[in-house]
Amino acid sequence: MAADCGANCARWLLCLANFIFICVSTGVLIVGTWLAADKASFVNLTLNVTTSKYSPTSPFVSEDAEKILKEFVEPAVIEQAAYILIAAGAFILVISFLGYCGAIKESRVLLTAYGIFLIIIFALQVALILLCTLYKSQADHHSKGFLKSTLSKYYTTGDNKDAVTLSWDLIMAQMSCCGVD
């Protein structure tokens, strides 16, 4: 009887955790879809909430933060963020759904698929950590070359700023530097 209690508790904890992930990933998926479908309403909402004098966040938003916010609500940046949110939300939703349904129905097939996905994700994280550790010097060299090429090829000036230009501006402002070296 005691073994049944522990297994039952583990089952419901797995259900609860996956249900929370389903809710969060659904929210991320909805926000990503909203951004992809209607960028203008998001831009208006973001700017109104942060720059209005009646906003609860207005005392905390400095002029620099306001300028950066206005740059990051460019349509190209929002579109790229929308697609990233949609992909991440869908990926987490599918995996969480497998775990939730597998735990509720006590299905070995669904729980096995869920476990395999988690093992693959864990193995990819371990492999990434090992590769970063082993090839740090080579990665530094190639990263500097890539960063220099993006800076020379894609950095734009004027009013037509894209995500690459805004990212470079933010990085250089935060690090108080210009360029890669």
Side-chain angles (χ1 to χ4, degrees):
M1 192 68 180
D4 290 337
C5 180
N8 204 19
C9 182
R11 174 182 166 212
W12 288 108
L13 282 174
L14 184 64
C15 287
L16 177 65
N18 281 299
F19 182 75
I20 291 170
F21 278 113
I22 287 171
C23 292
V24 170
S25 64
T26 302
V28 169
L29 200 56
I30 288 170
V31 169
T33 307
W34 173 42
L35 288 176
D38 188 18
K39 297 170 202 54
S41 67
F42 177 78
V43 169
N44 289 335
L45 179 69
T46 305
L47 292 177
N48 287 339
V49 166
T50 55
T51 59
S52 172
K53 66 179 181 178
Y54 302 110
S55 171
T57 61
S58 62
F60 305 112
V61 178
S62 68
E63 290 178 17
D64 293 335
E66 193 173 317
K67 180 183 173 195
I68 291 171
L69 179 66
K70 285 182 181 178
E71 289 176 351
F72 272 97
V73 293
E74 293 290 325
V77 176
I78 292 175
E79 188 172 344
Q80 292 166 358
Y83 293 138
I84 291 171
L85 288 175
I86 290 171
F91 181 71
I92 294 170
L93 182 68
V94 168
I95 293 175
S96 299
F97 189 74
L98 282 174
Y100 181 76
C101 289
I104 287 286
K105 298 287 186 182
E106 296 180 11
S107 168
R108 285 184 183 254
V109 174
L110 292 176
L111 287 174
T112 302
Y114 177 70
I116 289 171
F117 273 123
L118 291 182
I119 289 170
I120 290 170
I121 291 169
F122 180 72
L124 288 173
Q125 289 176 348
V126 169
L128 184 66
I129 290 170
L130 287 174
L131 287 173
C132 288
T133 304
L134 293 174
Y135 295 108
K136 185 180 183 324
S137 63
Q138 293 172 342
D140 285 342
H141 176 70
H142 289 294
S143 296
K144 282 186 180 181
F146 173 74
L147 292 173
K148 286 179 183 178
S149 71
T150 59
L151 190 59
S152 64
K153 287 182 185 176
Y154 302 110
Y155 189 81
T156 60
T157 56
D159 293 335
N160 297 332
K161 292 186 176 182
D162 59 354
V164 175
T165 302
L166 293 174
S167 299
W168 270 113
D169 287 344
L170 182 65
I171 290 169
M172 288 188 277
Q174 289 294 324
M175 298 182 83
S176 300
C177 67
C178 293
V180 177
D181 295 324

